[in-house]
Amino acid sequence: MEHTMRNALGEAVRAAHTQIPADIRCAADYERHAIHHIEAQAWQHIQSGADQNLTLSHNRAALDALRLVPQPVADLRHAHTRIELLGQTLASPLLLAPVAYQRLVHPEGELATVRAAMALQTGMVVSTLSSFTLEEIAQAGQAAATEMGHSTPRWFQLYMQPAREHSLQLIRRAEAAGYTAIVWTVDASIKRSGFALPHGVEAANLRGMPSTQHTPPLLGPILFGTPLMQQIPTWDDLRWLRAQTQLPIIVKGILSPAQAQQAVDLGADALIVSNHGGRVLDGVVSPIEVLPAIAQAVQGQVPLLLDSGVRHGTDVVKALALGASAALIGRPQLYALATAGLVGVAHLLHLLRAELELTMAQLGCATVADITPAVLWQQR
Ligand code: FNR
């Protein structure tokens, strides 16, 4: 008897639509659809935060608590959303965060995502744990960008491997495949995860390399004194990384002003202020709350990016108002990919861009540089 895959509602998993569902009006609507298209355990894995989901829900609450002040009288005839970041031009200050194993939700996985991102001129960060190889993703992205007649940056997210030679191999492969920055993620080397990958989904980039262990065993030493401790990043790793590549290095997973400063001192070219979408440690502060303090600490020496909880164009504007140069979305790309594949991701990005432009227009911001703290209501 054929095994039917069930979604979290107990129904058979639905195949992705080939068209955009008619009732999707804003980017956040994709989540409601996605549950029907994703197998139950994968859904749980994607949705979950650490422990009690305190941080997961706080990420949204902290963004929701900020209020915008419209300035509807403005000259917007030359308005645009373009930004320059690390010497690269982006059509808008919104990027796709690295999200592992995208074949979990759609057979075309990262290949569909990158095609949609490149078609919509949206920067994409490809995970070390992608389910197609970084070369396959680069090729698909390049073909889409060429077809559209423009180029958009693709960055490679690095999880350091237990052996430096393997990390170095990944860096060299990323350079050779045309990725234009290395995003070094520091906040997820130790996390609890009981999720087992289903048959047919693998860390395609890591074939032939020993697997890293993230989850402590139930018996015996827990963390301290175990080899897991060797996976915790150190500043030496950043020094090492800086010496290996000419590409810009972006450190992802910074929430502390002191560590932000340290990373900059050691040569980081940008930081992503992130709590990994609330997935690693419950009870941690939300990026939007610490962003002003981090901006204060780094004094404009490097651009700051932000993710965790971004779901709407207004969230992007809130992040920029408090000191970010750009924002990234994580889970929403999976929601759109599961719901309608490439078309879904493209539509999601279009909606977010539309939301961003509408917000900027209402706030009287002709360019991203006009998004200052003045667009936020300050309780006095
Ligand atoms: C992630 N994230 C992540 N980050 C990273 O640096 N490398 C990775 O491989 C992954 N993989 C991954 C898988 C899944 C299923 C999720 C939900 C997240 C974290 C991601 O880049 C980003 O920081 C968060 O997803 C941002 O929060 P939101 O937008 O999901 O709320």
Side-chain angles (χ1 to χ4, degrees), residues 212-252:
T212 47
Q213 196 188 351
H214 291 283
T215 311
L218 205 54
L219 298 171
I222 298 172
L223 285 177
F224 296 163
T226 71
L228 283 170
M229 290 298 92
Q230 288 158 27
Q231 288 172 212
I232 306 261
T234 66
W235 293 119
D236 269 344
D237 291 329
L238 182 52
R239 287 189 193 94
W240 175 82
L241 188 57
R242 183 68 288 169
Q244 303 310 315
T245 183
Q246 301 293 316
L247 290 180
I249 295 171
I250 304 166
V251 182
K252 174 172 182 281

Side-chain angles (χ1 to χ4, degrees), residues 63-71 312-319 321 359-360 362-363 371-378:
L63 282 161
D64 285 342
L66 297 170
R67 300 277 185 270
L68 301 166
V69 183
Q71 304 202 59
H312 194 275
T314 49
D315 297 328
V316 178
V317 168
K318 289 172 181 179
T359 310
M360 286 176 63
Q362 285 291 330
L363 300 180
I371 305 176
T372 67
V375 306
L376 297 178
W377 180 249
Q378 313 280 345

Side-chain angles (χ1 to χ4, degrees), residues 101 128-129 159-164 166-167 170 188-191 193 195 197 203 206 208-216 227-228 230-232:
Y101 304 123
T128 287
L129 302 177
Y159 277 131
M160 288 285 187
Q161 299 303 301
R164 282 209 163 142
H166 292 140
S167 301
L170 290 171
S189 51
I190 300 291
K191 67 171 195 255
S193 168
F195 180 65
L197 287 175
L206 305 184
M209 299 183 194
S211 65
T212 47
Q213 196 188 351
H214 291 283
T215 311
L228 283 170
Q230 288 158 27
Q231 288 172 212
I232 306 261

Side-chain angles (χ1 to χ4, degrees), residues 113-130:
T113 306
V114 76
R115 288 182 179 120
M118 296 302 111
L120 275 281
Q121 291 187 270
T122 305
M124 174 171 173
V125 190
V126 172
S127 169
T128 287
L129 302 177
S130 53

Side-chain angles (χ1 to χ4, degrees), residues 45-47 56 59 97-100 127-129 157 159 183 185 187 191 252 274-279 307-311 328-332 334:
H45 166 71
I46 293 160
Q47 290 299 78
L56 179 71
N59 284 344
V99 167
S127 169
T128 287
L129 302 177
Q157 178 267 325
Y159 277 131
V183 175
T185 300
D187 63 355
K191 67 171 195 255
K252 174 172 182 281
S274 166
N275 64 24
H276 215 96
R279 295 169 72 77
D307 75 19
S308 301
V310 174
R311 295 293 178 272
L328 302 93
I329 51 164
R331 294 176 182 87
L334 293 182

